[in-house]
Every structure is written in structure tokens, then in C-alpha cells.
Amino acid sequence: MPSRRLEQVADLLRAELSDLLRRELQDPRVGFVTITGVEVSPDLRNARVHVSCYGDEQAQQESIRALRHAAGFLRRALNERVRLRTIPQLDFRLDRSMAEAEQVQRALLQLAPELEASAAGEQAEAARATTEGAETGGEPAARATTESADAGDGPASPGEGRRG
């Protein structure tokens, strides 16, 4: 688990790199890029920058190549903005978690009608069991069995059954 200092440095680098990408980097190969996280080594010499890129696989790879090419420029710009003894080497990595989350979301949306139908069937079954219990003049069978189990023969608490 990283220390609080490493987390602070990583957050600072993430914020500054995001600003540099948005305002200063003029490379047209870098598409719509979002920095999703930064991991800093304990000695603060290396930083792994996780980047999410919009577009197909080729556009993503081109964006990563452009970011790796611009790493020196970004380090110099960070040196002007951030007060650290050493500015870490930047290693850009493609973060596929957003694409995976999108795939999961699509799968859930496809399953939504089936889940709704299943939930509606369960509610109908519960309503039917309740109405059958009311027609017979008693309580539903499930409630009656749990209440009889709760009214056990023994004392309710350890000290209740003693006389002294």
C-alpha cells in the first residue's frame, strides 16, 4: 500500500499532466486522452501513467506512441511547474478499464428485459402465495412456520428462566 506522500505526488502529477495535455501538447497524433491514474515508485524516480484513449485500437496505439515520444517535453514542463527534487521518468500505459466497463454496461442492458421479467415473476409468485393464505383464513405458510420457530420452548434470554 503506497504511503500518503506517494499518493499526494501521484495526484499532483496526474493533475499537472492532465493540464499539460489539454493546454500545451500540440501533437495531432494524441487523440482524446484521459489520464486515469498515476503510480509512483517509492524512490520517486519512475511514474507509470495510466491513460484511457478514445477511438479504435489503431488510434489508441498511435496516441500512446505520441505520448511516449513527448515524455521528455512533459518532464521538462513538469519540472517548471512542480517542486520535486527529481521529476520521475514517465511510462505511459494504455488503461482498458473504461472499455471493459462499457462492455459490462452493454451486457447488463441486454439482460435488463430478462431481469425485469424474472423479478416480475417472483413478485407475482409472492402475491399469489399471499392471496392463497388469505383465502384459507390463515397466514401464509412461510410466515406461520417462522413464527412457530420463534416461539420456542426455552427461555428467551439466559437469565429469564432462573429463579433465585
Side-chain angles (χ1 to χ4, degrees):
M1 183 169 170
S3 69
R4 177 135 170 85
R5 167 101 170 117
L6 288 178
E7 289 177 6
Q8 288 175 337
V9 170
D11 285 343
L12 176 66
L13 290 175
R14 184 192 53 74
E16 291 298 328
L17 282 170
S18 294
D19 190 51
L20 284 169
L21 290 177
R22 187 175 59 241
R23 295 177 189 227
E24 309 254 341
L25 193 62
Q26 302 297 323
D27 193 337
R29 296 176 297 169
V30 177
F32 184 69
V33 173
T34 303
I35 296 178
T36 57
V38 175
E39 295 175 12
V40 181
S41 66
D43 62 356
L44 299 176
R45 300 241 184 247
N46 298 301
R48 183 174 293 155
V49 183
H50 298 278
V51 178
S52 175
C53 302
Y54 181 77
D56 62 351
E57 187 70 27
Q58 183 179 359
Q60 291 175 356
Q61 292 303 324
E62 187 65 27
S63 292
I64 293 296
R65 274 195 294 275
L67 288 171
R68 288 178 179 160
H69 183 74
F73 166 76
L74 293 170
R75 276 190 79 208
R76 281 190 300 279
L78 281 173
N79 192 30
E80 295 172 3
R81 292 175 164 220
V82 178
R83 284 191 53 196
L84 289 174
R85 184 175 297 160
T86 59
I87 301 297
Q89 293 287 330
L90 303 174
D91 178 26
F92 290 95
R93 301 282 176 100
L94 187 60
D95 184 2
R96 299 183 194 281
S97 63
M98 298 299 280
E100 292 170 3
E102 186 177 334
Q103 287 177 340
V104 169
Q105 183 68 26
R106 283 187 196 144
L108 288 174
L109 287 175
Q110 289 175 348
L111 290 176
E114 294 176 25
L115 293 174
E116 289 174 3
S118 173
E122 290 175 6
Q123 289 177 350
E125 183 66 30
R128 192 172 341 154
T130 304
T131 56
E132 287 175 4
E135 289 173 359
T136 60
E139 296 181 14
R143 184 181 294 167
T145 56
T146 56
E147 287 180 354
S148 65
D150 290 342
D153 295 333
S157 64
E160 192 173 294
R162 292 190 211 158
R163 294 186 182 151

